[in-house]
Amino acid sequence: MEPAQKERTPFSDIDGLTASMSEMVLAALTEMGRHPEIRRVRRTGVDALRPALGARLLDAGSGSGEVARKLAAEVGPRGEVIALDHSAAITAAAVSRHDGSNVRYVVGDVGDLDLPDDCVDGVWCERVLQHVDDADRAIGELCRVTRPGGRLCLIDTDWDSLAFDGMPPRLWDTVARYVNRHFTPPQRDMGRTLRRRLVAAGLSGLTATPVTCLFGSPDSAAVVLPMVNPRVPADSWHAPLGLRDEWLACVEAAGARGDFLAVLTIWVVAGTVPDGLAPLGGISPR
Ligand SMILES: C[S@@+](CC[C@H](N)C(=O)[O-])C[C@H]1O[C@@H](n2cnc3c(N)ncnc32)[C@H](O)[C@@H]1O
């Protein structure tokens, strides 16, 4: 399959990574799923989606399939979850973790879904749209496949909200120039723009919840923030080695003093697909 993204992040083209990087990405997703702050984001998402028993859901950009399997438990044995991801490698990994629940794993592009109109009751799409070129087109596709009255729950990061304490601010300003180019996606504002995108797509009953994740130690932060994770290979920084080392030393020192702090807001935005939704540009009519 042709990559759907022109601007690459590791998550936008997992199949294009080396085997060891791809394994690292999978391990990172698994670790993130266990992090209490990501769990808090997901609980907020489930409350916003309100999955009903017997519902058919789509998890678009499902990664390791962990959330799809949790959603399958929510919809029960008469429900179903389609776990769709662009990466064949991550889909194979998700299949290998299958637990017998009602999840069907498929490879596909959220911007061009090979699914009929109105075929699901709800959609979950977590930390995916920041990696795609045309998020509005993808949202149009998610609306198209959702029946009228069904719900969309979109979860995404606002990378501009990332802030630290305990480190020299000027050093972070310099480091951020590299980080913003190589670790965070071009759509840095995806989280906070989700609500506006759903307004434009014509959804009703919108809820938008900013969940500010707090990381009180470098170890806790490293699970979600690659720029404080010393295990991320030095060459993926594309920054002067001395700068990376100085930054990571400051992170470690702040951790040792006990005054390290990082915050990042992840948005949970949900809405209901109304009857007779007008198609968005480039999307085939319902
Ligand atoms: C940061 S991961 C999030 C995975 C999962 N939603 C989670 O929260 O654990 C982003 C996922 O989106 C997938 N992805 C990226 N672009 C995609 C696209 N155009 N269509 C479908 N999936 C895509 C990636 O392969 C990756 O698994």
mmCIF file of all heavy atoms in Angstrom, residues 157-169 172-173 176 179-180 184 188 212-217 221 225 227-228 247 251 259-266:
data_model
loop_
_atom_site.group_PDB
_atom_site.id
_atom_site.type_symbol
_atom_site.label_atom_id
_atom_site.label_comp_id
_atom_site.label_asym_id
_atom_site.label_seq_id
_atom_site.Cartn_x
_atom_site.Cartn_y
_atom_site.Cartn_z
ATOM 1 N N THR A 157 -3.254 14.737 20.505
ATOM 2 C CA THR A 157 -2.331 15.503 21.340
ATOM 3 C C THR A 157 -2.255 16.949 20.863
ATOM 4 O O THR A 157 -2.308 17.212 19.667
ATOM 5 C CB THR A 157 -0.922 14.874 21.195
ATOM 6 O OG1 THR A 157 -1.050 13.469 21.325
ATOM 7 C CG2 THR A 157 0.039 15.410 22.223
ATOM 8 N N ASP A 158 -2.086 17.861 21.809
ATOM 9 C CA ASP A 158 -1.722 19.241 21.474
ATOM 10 C C ASP A 158 -0.238 19.395 21.858
ATOM 11 O O ASP A 158 0.089 19.678 23.010
ATOM 12 C CB ASP A 158 -2.590 20.222 22.256
ATOM 13 C CG ASP A 158 -2.235 21.663 21.929
ATOM 14 O OD1 ASP A 158 -1.311 21.875 21.107
ATOM 15 O OD2 ASP A 158 -2.852 22.571 22.500
ATOM 16 N N TRP A 159 0.639 19.169 20.881
ATOM 17 C CA TRP A 159 2.078 19.184 21.190
ATOM 18 C C TRP A 159 2.549 20.575 21.588
ATOM 19 O O TRP A 159 3.574 20.720 22.263
ATOM 20 C CB TRP A 159 2.889 18.625 20.011
ATOM 21 C CG TRP A 159 2.820 17.134 19.956
ATOM 22 C CD1 TRP A 159 2.117 16.378 19.069
ATOM 23 C CD2 TRP A 159 3.451 16.205 20.847
ATOM 24 N NE1 TRP A 159 2.271 15.039 19.350
ATOM 25 C CE2 TRP A 159 3.089 14.897 20.432
ATOM 26 C CE3 TRP A 159 4.273 16.338 21.961
ATOM 27 C CZ2 TRP A 159 3.532 13.749 21.083
ATOM 28 C CZ3 TRP A 159 4.713 15.187 22.611
ATOM 29 C CH2 TRP A 159 4.344 13.919 22.174
ATOM 30 N N ASP A 160 1.812 21.621 21.186
ATOM 31 C CA ASP A 160 2.201 22.977 21.608
ATOM 32 C C ASP A 160 2.005 23.173 23.108
ATOM 33 O O ASP A 160 2.512 24.140 23.675
ATOM 34 C CB ASP A 160 1.372 24.033 20.855
ATOM 35 C CG ASP A 160 1.755 24.098 19.393
ATOM 36 O OD1 ASP A 160 2.909 23.781 19.066
ATOM 37 O OD2 ASP A 160 0.887 24.450 18.568
ATOM 38 N N SER A 161 1.240 22.300 23.732
ATOM 39 C CA SER A 161 0.992 22.450 25.177
ATOM 40 C C SER A 161 2.129 21.875 26.017
ATOM 41 O O SER A 161 2.141 22.052 27.237
ATOM 42 C CB SER A 161 -0.318 21.746 25.558
ATOM 43 O OG SER A 161 -0.131 20.326 25.529
ATOM 44 N N LEU A 162 3.064 21.187 25.368
ATOM 45 C CA LEU A 162 4.139 20.526 26.127
ATOM 46 C C LEU A 162 4.992 21.559 26.878
ATOM 47 O O LEU A 162 5.483 22.517 26.278
ATOM 48 C CB LEU A 162 5.025 19.722 25.160
ATOM 49 C CG LEU A 162 6.249 19.045 25.772
ATOM 50 C CD1 LEU A 162 5.846 18.029 26.844
ATOM 51 C CD2 LEU A 162 7.077 18.363 24.678
ATOM 52 N N ALA A 163 5.121 21.370 28.163
ATOM 53 C CA ALA A 163 5.930 22.298 28.972
ATOM 54 C C ALA A 163 6.662 21.518 30.064
ATOM 55 O O ALA A 163 6.205 20.455 30.497
ATOM 56 C CB ALA A 163 5.035 23.361 29.590
ATOM 57 N N PHE A 164 7.800 22.076 30.448
ATOM 58 C CA PHE A 164 8.626 21.432 31.480
ATOM 59 C C PHE A 164 8.868 22.398 32.620
ATOM 60 O O PHE A 164 8.842 23.616 32.436
ATOM 61 C CB PHE A 164 9.995 21.044 30.896
ATOM 62 C CG PHE A 164 9.916 19.969 29.844
ATOM 63 C CD1 PHE A 164 9.888 20.309 28.497
ATOM 64 C CD2 PHE A 164 9.862 18.629 30.200
ATOM 65 C CE1 PHE A 164 9.809 19.308 27.525
ATOM 66 C CE2 PHE A 164 9.786 17.637 29.245
ATOM 67 C CZ PHE A 164 9.761 17.979 27.901
ATOM 68 N N ASP A 165 9.164 21.834 33.781
ATOM 69 C CA ASP A 165 9.741 22.634 34.856
ATOM 70 C C ASP A 165 10.895 21.822 35.454
ATOM 71 O O ASP A 165 10.963 20.601 35.288
ATOM 72 C CB ASP A 165 8.701 22.963 35.936
ATOM 73 C CG ASP A 165 9.216 24.049 36.873
ATOM 74 O OD1 ASP A 165 9.944 24.952 36.394
ATOM 75 O OD2 ASP A 165 8.924 23.981 38.079
ATOM 76 N N GLY A 166 11.828 22.517 36.074
ATOM 77 C CA GLY A 166 12.989 21.842 36.658
ATOM 78 C C GLY A 166 14.193 21.856 35.737
ATOM 79 O O GLY A 166 15.277 21.453 36.136
ATOM 80 N N MET A 167 13.984 22.289 34.487
ATOM 81 C CA MET A 167 15.100 22.369 33.531
ATOM 82 C C MET A 167 15.320 23.817 33.107
ATOM 83 O O MET A 167 14.373 24.609 33.111
ATOM 84 C CB MET A 167 14.777 21.558 32.278
ATOM 85 C CG MET A 167 15.394 20.190 32.329
ATOM 86 S SD MET A 167 14.319 19.046 33.104
ATOM 87 C CE MET A 167 12.979 19.079 31.996
ATOM 88 N N PRO A 168 16.534 24.159 32.677
ATOM 89 C CA PRO A 168 16.771 25.540 32.237
ATOM 90 C C PRO A 168 15.894 25.863 31.019
ATOM 91 O O PRO A 168 15.996 25.171 30.002
ATOM 92 C CB PRO A 168 18.251 25.548 31.831
ATOM 93 C CG PRO A 168 18.833 24.267 32.369
ATOM 94 C CD PRO A 168 17.737 23.307 32.578
ATOM 95 N N PRO A 169 15.027 26.878 31.114
ATOM 96 C CA PRO A 169 14.092 27.162 30.014
ATOM 97 C C PRO A 169 14.795 27.458 28.697
ATOM 98 O O PRO A 169 14.327 27.050 27.639
ATOM 99 C CB PRO A 169 13.296 28.389 30.493
ATOM 100 C CG PRO A 169 13.714 28.655 31.885
ATOM 101 C CD PRO A 169 14.860 27.770 32.252
ATOM 102 N N TRP A 172 15.676 24.297 26.899
ATOM 103 C CA TRP A 172 14.506 23.686 26.250
ATOM 104 C C TRP A 172 14.162 24.435 24.955
ATOM 105 O O TRP A 172 13.847 23.814 23.945
ATOM 106 C CB TRP A 172 13.309 23.650 27.208
ATOM 107 C CG TRP A 172 12.018 23.295 26.493
ATOM 108 C CD1 TRP A 172 10.885 24.036 26.428
ATOM 109 C CD2 TRP A 172 11.733 22.100 25.720
ATOM 110 N NE1 TRP A 172 9.920 23.409 25.679
ATOM 111 C CE2 TRP A 172 10.428 22.211 25.230
ATOM 112 C CE3 TRP A 172 12.483 20.965 25.385
ATOM 113 C CZ2 TRP A 172 9.823 21.235 24.430
ATOM 114 C CZ3 TRP A 172 11.894 19.986 24.583
ATOM 115 C CH2 TRP A 172 10.588 20.123 24.120
ATOM 116 N N ASP A 173 14.267 25.748 24.956
ATOM 117 C CA ASP A 173 13.979 26.516 23.725
ATOM 118 C C ASP A 173 14.852 26.012 22.578
ATOM 119 O O ASP A 173 14.390 25.847 21.456
ATOM 120 C CB ASP A 173 14.228 28.010 23.931
ATOM 121 C CG ASP A 173 13.164 28.635 24.823
ATOM 122 O OD1 ASP A 173 12.135 27.962 25.055
ATOM 123 O OD2 ASP A 173 13.372 29.774 25.305
ATOM 124 N N ALA A 176 13.971 22.349 21.705
ATOM 125 C CA ALA A 176 12.641 22.272 21.073
ATOM 126 C C ALA A 176 12.736 22.446 19.558
ATOM 127 O O ALA A 176 11.944 21.855 18.826
ATOM 128 C CB ALA A 176 11.710 23.322 21.673
ATOM 129 N N VAL A 179 13.454 18.983 18.444
ATOM 130 C CA VAL A 179 12.359 18.100 18.838
ATOM 131 C C VAL A 179 11.138 18.339 17.947
ATOM 132 O O VAL A 179 10.487 17.406 17.477
ATOM 133 C CB VAL A 179 12.017 18.376 20.320
ATOM 134 C CG1 VAL A 179 10.646 17.871 20.682
ATOM 135 C CG2 VAL A 179 13.078 17.761 21.214
ATOM 136 N N ASN A 180 10.852 19.610 17.699
ATOM 137 C CA ASN A 180 9.651 19.933 16.928
ATOM 138 C C ASN A 180 9.777 19.472 15.483
ATOM 139 O O ASN A 180 8.782 19.288 14.801
ATOM 140 C CB ASN A 180 9.350 21.430 16.972
ATOM 141 C CG ASN A 180 8.950 21.865 18.365
ATOM 142 O OD1 ASN A 180 8.677 21.018 19.212
ATOM 143 N ND2 ASN A 180 8.920 23.166 18.611
ATOM 144 N N THR A 184 8.001 15.329 16.962
ATOM 145 C CA THR A 184 6.569 15.598 17.030
ATOM 146 C C THR A 184 6.072 15.825 15.600
ATOM 147 O O THR A 184 6.815 16.296 14.743
ATOM 148 C CB THR A 184 6.264 16.810 17.931
ATOM 149 O OG1 THR A 184 6.953 17.942 17.412
ATOM 150 C CG2 THR A 184 6.706 16.565 19.355
ATOM 151 N N ARG A 188 1.056 19.756 14.972
ATOM 152 C CA ARG A 188 1.285 19.853 16.409
ATOM 153 C C ARG A 188 0.031 20.272 17.171
ATOM 154 O O ARG A 188 -0.112 19.983 18.347
ATOM 155 C CB ARG A 188 2.393 20.885 16.687
ATOM 156 C CG ARG A 188 3.713 20.556 16.023
ATOM 157 C CD ARG A 188 4.708 21.693 16.173
ATOM 158 N NE ARG A 188 4.804 22.127 17.551
ATOM 159 C CZ ARG A 188 5.416 21.451 18.496
ATOM 160 N NH1 ARG A 188 6.008 20.319 18.200
ATOM 161 N NH2 ARG A 188 5.449 21.894 19.728
ATOM 162 N N THR A 212 -5.089 17.146 30.767
ATOM 163 C CA THR A 212 -3.683 17.520 30.921
ATOM 164 C C THR A 212 -2.947 16.439 31.700
ATOM 165 O O THR A 212 -3.250 16.192 32.870
ATOM 166 C CB THR A 212 -3.561 18.898 31.600
ATOM 167 O OG1 THR A 212 -4.175 19.854 30.733
ATOM 168 C CG2 THR A 212 -2.105 19.290 31.778
ATOM 169 N N CYS A 213 -2.029 15.797 30.985
ATOM 170 C CA CYS A 213 -1.282 14.693 31.594
ATOM 171 C C CYS A 213 -0.099 15.268 32.353
ATOM 172 O O CYS A 213 0.632 16.126 31.834
ATOM 173 C CB CYS A 213 -0.787 13.735 30.516
ATOM 174 S SG CYS A 213 -2.117 13.013 29.555
ATOM 175 N N LEU A 214 0.090 14.775 33.561
ATOM 176 C CA LEU A 214 1.182 15.250 34.419
ATOM 177 C C LEU A 214 2.208 14.136 34.576
ATOM 178 O O LEU A 214 1.850 12.996 34.895
ATOM 179 C CB LEU A 214 0.606 15.633 35.794
ATOM 180 C CG LEU A 214 1.615 15.855 36.918
ATOM 181 C CD1 LEU A 214 2.475 17.085 36.653
ATOM 182 C CD2 LEU A 214 0.896 16.001 38.251
ATOM 183 N N PHE A 215 3.460 14.473 34.318
ATOM 184 C CA PHE A 215 4.544 13.501 34.466
ATOM 185 C C PHE A 215 5.491 14.046 35.531
ATOM 186 O O PHE A 215 6.155 15.065 35.318
ATOM 187 C CB PHE A 215 5.270 13.309 33.135
ATOM 188 C CG PHE A 215 4.325 12.941 32.009
ATOM 189 C CD1 PHE A 215 3.902 13.899 31.098
ATOM 190 C CD2 PHE A 215 3.841 11.647 31.898
ATOM 191 C CE1 PHE A 215 3.020 13.566 30.081
ATOM 192 C CE2 PHE A 215 2.957 11.304 30.879
ATOM 193 C CZ PHE A 215 2.552 12.264 29.969
ATOM 194 N N GLY A 216 5.529 13.362 36.661
ATOM 195 C CA GLY A 216 6.282 13.890 37.808
ATOM 196 C C GLY A 216 7.681 13.324 37.947
ATOM 197 O O GLY A 216 8.372 13.630 38.924
ATOM 198 N N SER A 217 8.094 12.509 36.973
ATOM 199 C CA SER A 217 9.475 12.000 37.012
ATOM 200 C C SER A 217 9.903 11.723 35.573
ATOM 201 O O SER A 217 9.065 11.477 34.700
ATOM 202 C CB SER A 217 9.551 10.702 37.820
ATOM 203 O OG SER A 217 8.984 9.645 37.071
ATOM 204 N N ALA A 221 7.647 10.280 32.375
ATOM 205 C CA ALA A 221 7.522 11.095 31.154
ATOM 206 C C ALA A 221 8.051 10.370 29.926
ATOM 207 O O ALA A 221 7.490 10.483 28.823
ATOM 208 C CB ALA A 221 8.270 12.416 31.350
ATOM 209 N N LEU A 225 6.905 10.784 26.176
ATOM 210 C CA LEU A 225 7.655 11.895 25.574
ATOM 211 C C LEU A 225 9.039 11.414 25.116
ATOM 212 O O LEU A 225 9.947 11.255 25.937
ATOM 213 C CB LEU A 225 7.813 13.032 26.607
ATOM 214 C CG LEU A 225 6.517 13.548 27.241
ATOM 215 C CD1 LEU A 225 6.828 14.570 28.329
ATOM 216 C CD2 LEU A 225 5.606 14.161 26.181
ATOM 217 N N MET A 227 11.416 12.877 23.788
ATOM 218 C CA MET A 227 12.533 13.806 23.992
ATOM 219 C C MET A 227 13.144 13.726 25.396
ATOM 220 O O MET A 227 14.163 14.367 25.648
ATOM 221 C CB MET A 227 12.119 15.247 23.656
ATOM 222 C CG MET A 227 11.029 15.833 24.502
ATOM 223 S SD MET A 227 9.412 15.100 24.226
ATOM 224 C CE MET A 227 8.871 15.754 22.689
ATOM 225 N N VAL A 228 12.557 12.968 26.293
ATOM 226 C CA VAL A 228 13.211 12.774 27.591
ATOM 227 C C VAL A 228 13.583 11.307 27.790
ATOM 228 O O VAL A 228 13.958 10.908 28.896
ATOM 229 C CB VAL A 228 12.351 13.278 28.783
ATOM 230 C CG1 VAL A 228 12.098 14.764 28.671
ATOM 231 C CG2 VAL A 228 11.052 12.525 28.912
ATOM 232 N N TRP A 247 20.882 18.142 27.523
ATOM 233 C CA TRP A 247 19.452 18.141 27.856
ATOM 234 C C TRP A 247 19.104 16.924 28.718
ATOM 235 O O TRP A 247 18.472 17.053 29.777
ATOM 236 C CB TRP A 247 18.637 18.160 26.561
ATOM 237 C CG TRP A 247 17.185 17.843 26.733
ATOM 238 C CD1 TRP A 247 16.554 16.700 26.344
ATOM 239 C CD2 TRP A 247 16.173 18.664 27.343
ATOM 240 N NE1 TRP A 247 15.223 16.755 26.662
ATOM 241 C CE2 TRP A 247 14.970 17.954 27.279
ATOM 242 C CE3 TRP A 247 16.189 19.921 27.941
ATOM 243 C CZ2 TRP A 247 13.774 18.450 27.774
ATOM 244 C CZ3 TRP A 247 14.991 20.429 28.455
ATOM 245 C CH2 TRP A 247 13.819 19.706 28.355
ATOM 246 N N VAL A 251 17.653 16.589 32.519
ATOM 247 C CA VAL A 251 16.442 15.823 32.846
ATOM 248 C C VAL A 251 16.749 14.887 34.024
ATOM 249 O O VAL A 251 15.993 14.827 35.005
ATOM 250 C CB VAL A 251 15.964 15.020 31.601
ATOM 251 C CG1 VAL A 251 14.886 14.004 31.995
ATOM 252 C CG2 VAL A 251 15.455 15.953 30.506
ATOM 253 N N ASP A 259 12.496 17.525 41.330
ATOM 254 C CA ASP A 259 11.676 18.657 40.877
ATOM 255 C C ASP A 259 11.409 18.630 39.361
ATOM 256 O O ASP A 259 11.046 19.637 38.774
ATOM 257 C CB ASP A 259 12.281 20.003 41.324
ATOM 258 C CG ASP A 259 13.630 20.304 40.680
ATOM 259 O OD1 ASP A 259 14.040 19.553 39.763
ATOM 260 O OD2 ASP A 259 14.273 21.293 41.096
ATOM 261 N N PHE A 260 11.566 17.467 38.756
ATOM 262 C CA PHE A 260 11.221 17.338 37.327
ATOM 263 C C PHE A 260 9.701 17.389 37.178
ATOM 264 O O PHE A 260 8.959 16.786 37.948
ATOM 265 C CB PHE A 260 11.729 16.004 36.771
ATOM 266 C CG PHE A 260 11.263 15.729 35.368
ATOM 267 C CD1 PHE A 260 12.047 16.102 34.279
ATOM 268 C CD2 PHE A 260 10.035 15.118 35.118
ATOM 269 C CE1 PHE A 260 11.608 15.861 32.978
ATOM 270 C CE2 PHE A 260 9.601 14.870 33.828
ATOM 271 C CZ PHE A 260 10.390 15.245 32.758
ATOM 272 N N LEU A 261 9.249 18.110 36.159
ATOM 273 C CA LEU A 261 7.816 18.128 35.855
ATOM 274 C C LEU A 261 7.629 18.337 34.358
ATOM 275 O O LEU A 261 8.332 19.155 33.739
ATOM 276 C CB LEU A 261 7.129 19.258 36.635
ATOM 277 C CG LEU A 261 5.616 19.434 36.441
ATOM 278 C CD1 LEU A 261 4.961 19.824 37.762
ATOM 279 C CD2 LEU A 261 5.301 20.495 35.391
ATOM 280 N N ALA A 262 6.706 17.579 33.772
ATOM 281 C CA ALA A 262 6.307 17.804 32.377
ATOM 282 C C ALA A 262 4.793 17.706 32.296
ATOM 283 O O ALA A 262 4.177 16.915 33.034
ATOM 284 C CB ALA A 262 6.957 16.768 31.455
ATOM 285 N N VAL A 263 4.203 18.526 31.439
ATOM 286 C CA VAL A 263 2.747 18.462 31.214
ATOM 287 C C VAL A 263 2.465 18.475 29.721
ATOM 288 O O VAL A 263 3.170 19.124 28.932
ATOM 289 C CB VAL A 263 1.966 19.638 31.880
ATOM 290 C CG1 VAL A 263 1.857 19.452 33.372
ATOM 291 C CG2 VAL A 263 2.579 20.983 31.541
ATOM 292 N N LEU A 264 1.417 17.745 29.344
ATOM 293 C CA LEU A 264 1.023 17.645 27.939
ATOM 294 C C LEU A 264 -0.488 17.442 27.902
ATOM 295 O O LEU A 264 -1.012 16.554 28.580
ATOM 296 C CB LEU A 264 1.715 16.437 27.287
ATOM 297 C CG LEU A 264 1.363 16.161 25.825
ATOM 298 C CD1 LEU A 264 2.010 17.213 24.914
ATOM 299 C CD2 LEU A 264 1.819 14.772 25.400
ATOM 300 N N THR A 265 -1.164 18.253 27.092
ATOM 301 C CA THR A 265 -2.623 18.114 27.017
ATOM 302 C C THR A 265 -3.027 17.244 25.830
ATOM 303 O O THR A 265 -2.584 17.477 24.708
ATOM 304 C CB THR A 265 -3.295 19.498 26.919
ATOM 305 O OG1 THR A 265 -2.987 20.223 28.110
ATOM 306 C CG2 THR A 265 -4.811 19.376 26.797
ATOM 307 N N ILE A 266 -3.847 16.254 26.124
ATOM 308 C CA ILE A 266 -4.417 15.388 25.086
ATOM 309 C C ILE A 266 -5.937 15.643 25.095
ATOM 310 O O ILE A 266 -6.569 15.625 26.156
ATOM 311 C CB ILE A 266 -4.098 13.901 25.368
ATOM 312 C CG1 ILE A 266 -2.573 13.689 25.361
ATOM 313 C CG2 ILE A 266 -4.768 13.005 24.335
ATOM 314 C CD1 ILE A 266 -2.126 12.261 25.653
#
